[in-house]
């Protein structure tokens, strides 16, 4: 009597899970479809899946290679399509710099937390949680004044510095966790062979922590890649990053919705790639220390 | 002691702190010092464009804010958003985690798919939903019409603003809760559940007496993070409307801070708004953190 129930239950579970998948992925799929249409076909009712000629890369060309399209000056002048390459470039520069700086700082700090006996370890842990409590929006007021005063307004540095500071606590925490799993004996062996601590960290320990480093790097990267309010305040034009591109599509008239879709797709490439390939390590990093054992 | 021994002894004591120094310096100069400066600023009135120097006003900024009805409304709206979205995130997150943990096939594929919204840029998420939610030609209204429900102005109608923000927030973040719940569920010792089943417990009873208490610390942590992050909602609202929404119905704390700053440039006043937001976050956050520390979870 139990068997038929089990099969039915399994089907039910999959039905629920699949509807969940549909709800979750529909906006993503629709955005991809929108990005592959000609602009006029995005606003037809009833909606179409593809333009008459099938999927087209027109919107992507509008964003990435505007000069290759005839009549580009018209919609560029009207501001209907933003200077996308600028946003893309800025995001890449800022996010990569943030990742590198925060990894270096965090690796050093995590090493000292993991290997040396620190007085006030608990205080530091508390402090790290505390810094995550700070809403970035609260920070924009003093940072705005300081940025203007230092003449750094609308530069990459104006974003890289705060993003690094924001990424450091979590990165330190994550790296410390990964470091704790690397046995001390390995560095000690290297140091007996004549390496300094720093060298043994670089040559012996870090290579062993590659997955942990990658997961931490991904988090730092995404912190910078996805951040919005600070970029809005501190780098609104020349150094504007991808999240700000949403501001260029406000208003209902004259919006090239296919470019909206294409912009969303391009901006989502790094996060999606990361979750697809680094999922296991990202999950470990997120829930680290949260579960027993 | 010889000079050499002295330096060596000093290095041994100071060494560890040196490693820690770069990270600490960065965080101190870019986060801690500016926030302390802002705290001091919140007791002043200062429009840097008009006035040369700040004027001390004591608690006036705070009193003005907390006494104003419109600000109270904004705080209530923000808290309501937190309650509704976090509640729904837990409902779906826990439900999905339970389903995924019950030995279905293809679990990792499902998990990966559910996780994608979580890592996307919130303002870009708003961009993705905009064409879908359009009143006249949006695909959501099209699908609704086909099953007999009339299409609505999800973005244009002020009375739907709150729902739209909540839906987008839950859509993006329920996977966060799901992750934590999954991690916890995976560590539940199977024997306890088996024993309970043998004793005749049904699912609901097992849930209440075994699973939920086991998950309690994880629920607390996930709750803490989600509450903290939802209090500072900004990106989705700005991504959808570029402002506080129709009739300012999307005016949550973060939006209010920014709009007020941009409109009046009274940085002292804005600093006090920032600190109220910070206080709200801290009250909830510290409450959680202390209880976590007490249990020895961290």
């Amino acid at each position: 009597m139990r068997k038929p129930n089990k099969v039915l239950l399994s089907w039910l579970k999959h039905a629920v899970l699949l509807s969940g998948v549909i709800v979750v992925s529909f906006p993503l799929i629709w955005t991809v479809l929108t990005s592959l249409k000609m602009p006029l076909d995005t606003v037809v009712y009833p909606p179409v899946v593809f333009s008459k000629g099938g999927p087209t890369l027109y919107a992507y060309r509008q964003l990435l290679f505007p000069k290759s399209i005839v009549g580009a000056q018209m919609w560029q002048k009207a501001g209907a399509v933003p200077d996308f390459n600028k946003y893309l470039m800025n995001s890449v520069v800022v996010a990569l710099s943030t990742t590198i700086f925060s990894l270096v700082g965090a690796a050093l700090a995590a090493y000292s937390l993991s290997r040396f006996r620190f007085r006030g370890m608990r205080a530091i842990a508390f402090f790290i949680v505390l810094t995550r409590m700070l809403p970035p929006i609260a920070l924009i007021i003093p940072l705005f004044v300081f940025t203007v005063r230092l003449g750094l307004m609308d530069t990459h540095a104006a974003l890289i510095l705060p993003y690094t500071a924001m990424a450091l606590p979590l990165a330190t925490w994550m790296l410390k966790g990964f470091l704790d799993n690397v046995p001390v004996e390995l560095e000690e062996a290297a140091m007996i062979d004549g390496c300094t601590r720093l060298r043994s960290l670089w040559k012996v320990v870090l290579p062993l922590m590659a997955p942990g480093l990658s997961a931490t790097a991904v988090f730092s990267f995404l912190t910078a890649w996805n951040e919005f309010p600070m970029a809005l305040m501190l780098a609104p034009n020349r150094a504007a990053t991808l999240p700000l591109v949403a501001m260029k599509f406000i208003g209902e008239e004259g919006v090239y919705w296919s470019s909206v879709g294409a912009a969303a797709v391009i901006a989502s490439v790094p996060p999606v790639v990361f979750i697809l390939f680094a999922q296991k390590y990202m999950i470990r990093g997120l829930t680290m220390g949260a579960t027993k054992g | 002691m010889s000079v050499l021994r002295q330096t060596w002894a000093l290095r041994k004591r100071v060494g560890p702190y040196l490693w820690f120094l770069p990270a600490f310096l960065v965080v101190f100069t870019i986060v801690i010092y500016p926030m302390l400066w802002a705290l001091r600023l919140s007791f002043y009135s200062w429009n840097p464009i008009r006035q040369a120097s700040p004027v001390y006003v004591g608690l006036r900024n705070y009193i003005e804010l907390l006494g104003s009805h419109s600000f109270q409304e904004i705080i209530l709206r923000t808290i309501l958003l937190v309650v509704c979205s976090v509640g729904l995130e837990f409902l779906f997150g826990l439900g999905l985690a339970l389903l995924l943990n019950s030995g279905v096939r293809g679990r990792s594929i499902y998990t990966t798919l559910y996780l994608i919204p979580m890592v996307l840029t919130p303002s870009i998420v708003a961009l993705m939903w905009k064409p879908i939610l359009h009143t006249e030609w949006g695909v959501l209204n099209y699908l609704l019409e086909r099953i007999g429900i009339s299409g609505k102005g999800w973005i244009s109608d002020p009375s739907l603003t709150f729902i739209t923000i909540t839906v987008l927030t839950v859509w993006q973040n329920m996977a966060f809760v799901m992750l934590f719940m999954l991690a916890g569920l995976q560590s539940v010792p199977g024997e306890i559940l088996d024993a309970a089943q043998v004793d005749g417990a049904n699912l609901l009873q097992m849930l209440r007496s075994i699973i939920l208490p086991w998950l309690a610390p994880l629920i607390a942590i996930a709750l803490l993070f989600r509450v903290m992050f939802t209090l500072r909602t900004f990106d989705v609202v700005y991504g959808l409307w570029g402002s506080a929404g129709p009739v300012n119905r999307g005016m949550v704390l973060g939006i209010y801070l920014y709009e007020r700053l941009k409109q009046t440039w009274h940085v002292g006043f804005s600093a006090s708004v920032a600190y109220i937001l910070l206080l709200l976050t801290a009250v909830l956050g510290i409450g959680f953190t202390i209880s976590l520390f007490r249990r020895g979870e961290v």
Side-chain angles (χ1 to χ4, degrees):
Chain A
M1 266 302 273
R2 268 206 150 191
K3 252 201 171 151
N5 259 338
K6 273 222 152 148
V7 172
L8 186 66
L9 198 63
S10 171
W11 274 95
L12 213 66
K13 286 185 198 169
H14 278 282
V16 174
L17 285 173
L18 269 173
S19 19
V21 167
I22 293 177
V23 167
V24 160
S25 59
F26 179 74
L28 307 171
I29 299 177
W30 189 253
T31 302
V32 173
L33 289 178
T34 304
S35 72
L36 295 173
K37 296 179 192 163
M38 291 299 289
L40 284 175
D41 292 325
T42 55
V43 298
V44 297
Y45 191 86
V48 292
V49 174
F50 285 121
S51 289
K52 274 243 163 72
T56 167
L57 290 178
Y58 182 79
Y60 291 94
R61 280 194 296 146
Q62 261 187 317
L63 289 181
L64 298 170
F65 310 110
K67 300 215 173 95
S68 73
I69 301 187
V70 180
Q73 296 97 324
M74 189 185 64
W75 34 258
Q76 274 189 317
K77 248 201 184 153
V81 178
D83 178 12
F84 190 76
N85 287 314
K86 173 186 77 172
Y87 291 91
L88 186 58
M89 198 77 265
N90 288 331
S91 269
V92 169
V93 168
V94 169
L96 281 181
S97 312
T98 303
T99 308
I100 296 174
F101 292 144
S102 60
L103 270 188
V104 168
L108 293 174
Y111 186 81
S112 74
L113 285 177
S114 171
R115 297 303 191 236
F116 302 128
R117 248 172 320 145
F118 247 79
R119 258 185 304 155
M121 266 294 305
R122 279 203 130 196
I124 293 181
F126 192 70
F127 168 75
I128 289 180
V129 177
L130 220 65
T131 46
R132 287 204 90 190
M133 276 194 219
L134 178 65
I137 298 183
L139 202 50
I140 63 176
I141 295 163
L143 283 188
F144 178 73
V145 176
F146 291 178
T147 306
V148 170
R149 278 185 180 164
L150 289 172
L152 288 176
M153 191 65 188
D154 223 350
T155 61
H156 289 149
L159 294 182
I160 297 176
L161 289 170
Y163 290 172
T164 306
M166 275 164 55
L168 270 171
L170 181 63
T172 308
W173 189 250
M174 284 178 69
L175 284 182
K176 172 183 180 304
F178 287 114
L179 262 174
D180 284 341
N181 286 333
V182 177
V184 201
E185 290 77 42
L186 293 163
E187 296 138 62
E188 291 179 347
M191 285 195 282
I192 291 178
D193 283 349
C195 282
T196 62
R197 262 196 198 279
L198 198 58
R199 212 141 180 269
S200 71
L201 172 68
W202 176 252
K203 290 252 159 187
V204 176
V205 181
L206 287 182
L208 284 173
M209 278 175 48
L213 277 176
S214 316
T216 312
V218 165
F219 272 110
S220 296
F221 186 91
L222 287 181
T223 303
W225 189 262
N226 291 344
E227 202 280 335
F228 184 70
M230 269 194 218
L232 186 62
M233 195 75 197
L234 303 175
N237 289 311
R238 261 181 304 130
T241 49
L242 277 173
L244 295 190
V245 91
M247 302 294 296
K248 285 290 180 179
F249 294 114
I250 304 295
E252 308 229 322
E253 302 306 319
V255 175
Y256 282 67
W257 293 102
S258 49
S259 315
V260 169
V265 168
I266 298 176
S268 304
V269 163
V272 171
V273 164
F274 289 146
I275 198 72
L276 287 180
F277 288 108
Q279 179 193 337
K280 232 195 317 175
Y281 301 112
M282 284 178 71
I283 295 179
R284 253 190 81 190
L286 248 186
T287 56
M288 178 174 302
T291 51
K292 306 182 199 274
Chain B
M1 274 203 281
S2 71
V3 175
L4 197 63
R5 272 196 105 196
Q6 273 179 313
T7 23
W8 185 80
L10 186 69
R11 259 191 79 192
K12 199 149 191 253
R13 274 190 53 201
V14 172
Y17 295 98
L18 278 179
W19 290 76
F20 200 67
L21 204 61
F24 180 75
L25 269 178
V26 170
V27 176
F28 183 80
T29 52
I30 302 178
V31 176
I32 302 179
Y33 175 70
M35 281 314 289
L36 292 173
W37 183 87
L39 178 60
R40 200 161 150 258
L41 186 62
S42 70
F43 299 117
Y44 287 73
S45 164
W46 187 29
N47 181 338
I49 303 179
R50 299 258 182 85
Q51 305 160 256
S53 53
V55 176
Y56 182 76
V57 291
L59 286 174
R60 194 178 76 185
N61 289 334
Y62 290 98
I63 296 176
E64 222 179 278
L65 267 175
L66 294 171
S68 111
H69 277 187
S70 51
F71 188 72
Q72 287 162 10
E73 203 181 287
I74 292 173
I75 293 192
L76 280 175
R77 183 181 294 127
T78 311
I79 294 181
L80 190 65
L81 176 67
V82 170
V83 167
C84 291
S85 56
V86 175
L88 286 172
E89 285 163 20
F90 265 85
L91 190 67
F92 293 131
L94 184 59
L96 285 174
L98 284 170
L99 273 175
L100 288 173
N101 194 52
S102 66
V104 289
R105 280 194 315 171
R107 171 171 105 176
S108 55
I109 304 179
Y110 280 125
T111 311
T112 311
L113 288 174
Y114 285 129
L115 283 182
I116 294 180
M118 201 178 70
V119 291
L120 300 174
T121 316
S123 64
I124 301 283
V125 165
L127 257 195
M128 287 188 183
W129 279 88
K130 267 183 96 162
I132 297 178
L133 295 176
H134 196 274
T135 321
E136 279 132 41
W137 43 259
V139 69
L140 177 65
N141 279 345
Y142 171 71
L143 293 172
L144 287 178
E145 297 270 353
R146 287 201 70 174
I147 62 174
I149 308 176
S150 67
K152 307 226 185 301
W154 303 106
I155 301 187
S156 52
D157 188 345
S159 52
L160 294 177
T161 306
F162 184 83
I163 296 179
T164 304
I165 300 176
T166 306
V167 167
L168 258 67
T169 306
V170 172
W171 179 85
Q172 194 175 10
N173 293 296
M174 64 181 176
F176 184 88
V177 177
M178 182 191 83
L179 258 188
F180 276 81
M181 300 293 101
L182 250 186
L185 284 173
Q186 278 164 8
S187 68
V188 174
E191 308 89 55
I192 299 187
L193 291 175
D194 291 339
Q197 240 178 349
V198 166
D199 281 350
N202 64 23
L203 183 63
L204 216 62
Q205 288 170 320
M206 285 202 285
L207 200 66
R208 253 187 52 200
S209 321
I210 305 177
I211 299 180
L212 283 180
W214 181 269
L215 289 177
L218 279 168
I219 292 181
I221 298 181
L223 201 64
L224 167 67
F225 281 125
R226 283 313 310 147
V227 165
M228 276 181 4
F229 292 149
T230 312
L231 277 172
R232 55 182 81 153
T233 299
F234 182 88
D235 308 26
V236 261
V237 179
Y238 236 67
L240 281 175
W241 293 289
S243 66
V247 194
N248 287 339
R249 284 303 189 89
M251 183 84 89
V252 287
L253 255 182
I255 300 276
Y256 177 73
L257 201 165
Y258 181 78
E259 291 280 298
R260 213 43 212 267
L261 183 64
K262 267 298 168 84
Q263 279 163 16
T264 66
W265 288 113
H266 282 130
V267 294
F269 187 79
S270 303
S272 52
V273 178
Y275 263 90
I276 291 182
L277 174 61
L278 185 57
L279 244 112
L280 207 53
T281 311
V283 159
L284 295 161
I286 293 189
F288 274 114
T289 317
I290 292 185
S291 77
L292 285 176
F293 264 89
R294 283 237 186 93
R295 291 169 188 253
E297 297 298 340
V298 178

